[in-house]
Each structure stands twice: as structure tokens, then as C-alpha cells.
Amino acid sequence: MKQIETARANLRRKFEKIEDKNAILKDSEFKALFDGIRGIEPDKRSEYGKAINDLKTEVKSWIEESDEQDNEKEPIDVTAPWDVNTPKEKRPNFFNTTQGSIHPITREISDIVDIFQRMGFVVEESREIDNDYNMFTSLNFPLGHPARDDYDTFNTDEGLIAPAHTSTMQNRLLKKYKDNLANEEPIAVVVPDRVFRNEDLDATHEHTFYQIEGIFVAKKVNVGNLIATLSAFMNDYFAQNLETKLQPFYFPFTEPSFEFAIERPDVLKKNDSEEQKWLELGGCGMIHPNVLFEAGVDPKTSSGFAFGFGIERMVMMKNGIEDIRHFESANLKFLRQFK
Ligand code: PHE
């Protein structure tokens, strides 16, 4: 009996340490105990045999207990692409960083958003399918307005639209955050998301790309605030003090409207000719009073600016990427450069 007590203590000690708990049933301690039967006096054998079996039952209950504890610790992930009984070491390791990497656009979006968040902007997502009201009417493009043609995108049979720009969110966000103004706080939101255009594809045009939209509304906001905000962002993003330039443009939803250009960052410097000096990044302007009014913001007491930039363009400039089509190509040679 003493022998069995010692074996029990040894087994418990081993059990605590081993990873595969079931292996304990095959432990040599058991074999030694069974082999020991021969040395036991015949009339004590059945008692001895029963004690070994009891020990075995007890060890099995240790295993069950530890399984239950494991289950408590680790809830079953029903979406996991492996069977619940697959041992840990055989499960695919999705966190293995030698396989796969974050897409360059995803990474840049988080950098871009980070800069705007530090400037006090909140972040919202856009939609990948929207309606005529958000795409056009709320943005001061009445039905039949010729500027609608500049945003040629994809439509469903039900008349829904794959948004051609993130400005589709302006009306929703003005409505959502307009109480800020009553509390003397600005509306300051950025929206990075996917947009779609019916484009002829080439090195600088894709049918699917990303934009970052920004709106800022408060009392007495002016073009100076717009320029200061955009330059602060660009200088941070390109880690360099860059000259900026606004040139007059036309959008129905801003007045005045501008195209925003920056001086070529050092990585992209070509020569010093004037037309080589500037890079177009997107549109911006002071939010049209009709757009504010439509969302229930009083244009007499509040004003604001909006901007919208193509994210791929900025990423291409920053990283010297020559063709926008790489981003959606799923080409591993391209993607692996951005580990
Ligand atoms: N939505 C415009 C475009 O994609 C850019 C823009 C956004 C212009 C906000 C002004 C204000 O062409």
C-alpha cells in the first residue's frame, strides 16, 4: 500500500508538469505497480489490484478536471477554421508574422487617421453602397445638374449607388454631430473609406480606391483655418515642411472651392520647373451654406471647411509607387515589400 501511495505522489507531480495530460495513463509508474503484483502474497493480491485500479480511476478524474478547466479558460471559437479537437501545436498560426502582412493602404490609413486624431478629429466610416440623396441632392447637386457627370460610378437596378466620393457622409455627419455646436464645440470628423468610379484604368486611375474626407464646422471658420489644418497634416504625414498651394476649382458642395497641391516631397523631386513642382492631392473648400442648411446647421451662425483626398496618391508619393493598380492586384511581390 505504501508503494501505491508513493506512486500516487509521483504521478501527481508529473501530471502537474506535462502538457499532454492523457499521457499520464501510460506512465511507467503504472507498469511498475502492475509488475509488482507478482511480489505480493496471494491473499493480498486482490486488495492490491483494486488499489491500483482505484488509483487509475483517480488519475482519469484528474484528466477530466483539467479538461474542464481548459474549457473554462478557452471559450470555443466556432468560427475557427480547425476542429475543436485539433491540438494547439497543429493549429495554423495566423499570428505568424513571417506569413502575410498588413496591406499598405490599411497601414497608411491608420497613420493618417492617427495624425487627424491628434488634431482633435473623430473618425467615422463611410458606406460602400448609398443613395442619390447622400451622393448628390444633400450635396447641392440638384437633379439634372451637369456636375453629376463628374462622378460617374456604378448603380444598382434599384437605383442605389456605389459612392464616388466620401463626401456622401457629409450630410449624415453634420446631422449626427450638430449638437456639438450648441455646446460651443466644433464638428471635426474624418472619414477614410473606399470609393468607386467608372474609370478607364491606367497607372493613376483605378475603379476602386480610398479617400479621406474631413469636415470641420464651428463659428467663424475661414479659408486660413483650412490651409493651416491641411498643411499641418501634410507636414506631419510627409515628415517635412512642404509648401502648399490652393487653386480655384468648382464643386457644388463647397464655395469657394479649391484644388489642393503640395510641393513635391524630396523623394519625388524631379527638376525645378514650375509644372513639375506641384502635386495635386484633392479637393477642398468652405462647405456650401446649402449643404449646412440641408443638414439643419444654421449657415448664418456656423461655417466650416471640407476636404477630400485620394489616399493611394499620398501613399504612392510617400513610397515612390509608380502604378495605382498594384494596390488591388493582390500581387504578393508588391505586398511583401511593405512588411
Ligand atoms: N469629394 C470631392 C471629390 O472626390 C473632393 C472634395 C471633398 C472637395 C470635400 C471639396 C470638399 O472630387
Side-chain angles (χ1 to χ4, degrees):
M1 288 305 133
K2 210 152 173 222
Q3 211 182 332
I4 292 184
E5 261 321 295
T6 317
R8 185 181 179 283
N10 288 345
L11 284 165
R12 185 69 212 183
R13 215 172 312 118
K14 289 184 188 170
F15 183 77
E16 304 290 343
K17 285 199 204 117
I18 55 177
E19 187 62 38
D20 176 9
K21 303 290 185 199
N22 282 305
I24 198 78
L25 293 170
K26 297 204 186 74
D27 195 274
S28 56
E29 295 280 346
F30 281 112
K31 190 171 177 319
L33 288 177
F34 282 114
D35 289 348
I37 290 186
R38 257 173 277 137
I40 304 284
E41 287 158 36
D43 60 330
K44 294 256 171 70
R45 279 193 189 160
S46 78
E47 199 188 333
Y48 179 84
K50 189 174 170 300
I52 300 178
N53 279 329
D54 287 350
L55 178 60
K56 215 168 182 182
T57 314
E58 188 187 338
V59 170
K60 278 186 189 153
S61 77
W62 296 347
I63 297 174
E64 262 165 42
E65 234 169 71
S66 98
D67 279 354
E68 273 161 31
Q69 277 171 8
D70 274 0
N71 285 347
E72 270 165 36
K73 266 186 260 147
E74 255 184 274
I76 293 174
D77 177 0
V78 293
T79 65
W82 57 73
D83 189 80
V84 279
N85 297 316
T86 311
K88 279 213 184 70
E89 60 280 7
K90 291 205 173 137
R91 294 175 187 177
N93 180 4
F94 292 117
F95 303 101
N96 178 349
T97 49
T98 61
Q99 283 172 23
S101 55
I102 294 173
H103 193 280
I105 293 290
T106 310
R107 179 170 308 181
E108 296 291 334
I109 287 178
S110 75
D111 281 359
I112 289 169
V113 158
D114 190 57
I115 299 172
F116 280 114
Q117 280 177 319
R118 276 187 269 128
M119 291 164 84
F121 285 79
V122 295
V123 185
E124 291 271 356
E125 282 184 326
S126 180
R127 316 270 170 116
E128 297 194 355
I129 195 84
D130 214 322
N131 55 23
D132 188 89
Y133 177 75
N134 288 296
M135 178 66 217
F136 293 121
T137 316
S138 70
L139 289 169
N140 199 34
F141 292 80
L143 215 58
H145 193 290
R148 284 185 173 223
D149 295 346
D150 297 337
Y151 297 89
D152 183 13
T153 171
F154 307 95
N155 298 272
T156 70
D157 292 343
E158 299 86 354
L160 295 171
I161 302 173
H165 56 178
T166 39
S167 303
T168 43
M169 291 302 287
Q170 284 194 14
N171 181 269
R172 284 194 190 92
L173 296 174
L174 289 169
K175 283 178 179 154
K176 176 170 175 185
Y177 290 100
K178 71 181 166 203
D179 288 347
N180 286 12
L181 299 171
N183 301 326
E184 305 279 318
E185 277 173 30
I187 301 174
V189 193
V190 287
V191 187
D193 223 317
R194 246 181 179 167
V195 294
F196 309 89
R197 299 225 178 147
N198 181 11
E199 292 277 10
D200 289 331
L201 306 189
D202 63 30
T204 54
H205 295 91
E206 250 294 11
H207 51 72
T208 301
F209 59 100
Y210 285 81
Q211 281 191 333
I212 179 141
E213 185 87 9
I215 56 171
F216 184 89
V217 180
K219 283 200 180 106
K220 298 194 179 127
V221 177
N222 57 42
V223 176
N225 302 136
L226 166 64
I227 300 173
T229 306
L230 293 181
S231 326
F233 166 75
M234 295 300 166
N235 291 345
D236 197 331
Y237 183 70
F238 288 102
Q240 189 186 342
N241 273 339
L242 295 167
E243 264 185 76
T244 54
K245 182 165 87 166
L246 292 192
Q247 10 197 52
F249 201 71
Y250 173 77
F251 299 105
F253 41 97
T254 45
E255 178 59 37
S257 302
F258 308 100
E259 258 182 351
F260 184 81
I262 56 168
E263 168 197 2
R264 270 176 193 276
D266 286 345
V267 278
L268 297 171
K269 280 258 183 317
K270 285 195 176 148
N271 53 44
D272 288 336
S273 72
E274 188 58 19
E275 73 269 30
Q276 282 294 335
K277 183 174 172 189
W278 300 102
L279 283 170
E280 250 351 297
L281 278 182
C284 57
M286 300 306 292
I287 301 177
H288 197 289
N290 290 354
V291 174
L292 294 175
F293 186 78
E294 180 67 28
V297 174
D298 183 358
K300 288 197 201 76
T301 53
S302 302
S303 56
F305 60 77
F307 56 87
F309 297 132
I311 292 181
E312 278 83 350
R313 278 214 145 181
M314 294 195 289
V315 178
M316 287 166 79
M317 284 173 204
K318 197 171 162 188
N319 297 286
I321 297 167
E322 79 292 355
D323 194 322
I324 193 171
R325 290 167 295 190
H326 288 311
F327 291 111
E328 300 274 336
S329 70
N331 178 346
L332 292 178
K333 261 198 198 145
F334 170 73
L335 294 173
R336 284 191 178 126
Q337 299 174 73
F338 299 91
K339 282 229 174 224

